[in-house]
Amino acid sequence: QVQLVESGGGLVQAGGSLRLSCAASGRTDNTYTMAWFRQAPGKEREFVAAISRSGSITYYADSKEGRFTIARDNAKNTVYLQMNSLKPEDTAVYYCAAAEKVVGGFGPDEYDAWGQGTQVTVSS
């Protein structure tokens, strides 16, 4: 199965930007729907964005308000999350996920493989 490793998190001031990466290894035939979720302490895991196998279709949570962009480079087996105009409420551990089949694509239970997470902290 596919293995996922996130990177690119860190500490940033409000209004700044970060670019997260998710590198896939193992069986990477580019047939996976990919997504980003995040989880803050004491909160449930929250959908952030998803991207189709080809990269031509993307989905975003309403709360992202155009600040976040998901993209994939299948030649590099990598998915990205560009985050701009960051706010303190964006602080969370961000997780990459992959699914061979999704219905809707917004629920954590639909995804089969998960990365270890990368911490994003936004200071005011």
Side-chain angles (χ1 to χ4, degrees):
Q1 198 58 266
V2 63
Q3 291 81 48
L4 307 174
V5 178
E6 302 96 334
S7 63
L11 176 64
V12 64
Q13 292 183 340
S17 299
L18 285 174
R19 181 174 180 250
L20 306 183
S21 298
C22 174
S25 61
R27 193 170 77 92
T28 56
D29 56 4
N30 297 321
T31 63
Y32 300 96
T33 298
M34 305 293 296
W36 289 94
F37 292 79
R38 68 186 186 185
Q39 189 165 19
K43 306 294 183 181
E44 68 181 62
R45 191 161 296 190
E46 175 190 15
F47 172 79
V48 175
I51 189 165
S52 65
R53 294 166 177 82
S54 68
S56 62
I57 304 173
T58 57
Y59 310 87
Y60 298 94
D62 292 340
S63 62
K64 302 305 165 284
E65 303 172 353
R67 298 181 297 115
F68 290 9
T69 302
I70 188 171
R72 69 191 300 166
D73 186 341
N74 288 340
K76 297 180 179 180
N77 295 317
T78 302
V79 178
Y80 305 95
L81 184 68
Q82 178 68 46
M83 304 186 293
N84 299 323
S85 301
L86 284 163
K87 305 173 181 179
E89 54 261 44
D90 296 317
T91 296
V93 177
Y94 284 71
Y95 296 91
C96 180
E100 295 183 356
K101 177 182 178 181
V102 297
V103 179
F106 304 105
D109 292 345
E110 299 187 60
Y111 292 85
D112 306 303
W114 293 84
Q116 83 288 347
T118 185
Q119 177 71 49
V120 172
T121 302
V122 184
S123 63
S124 60

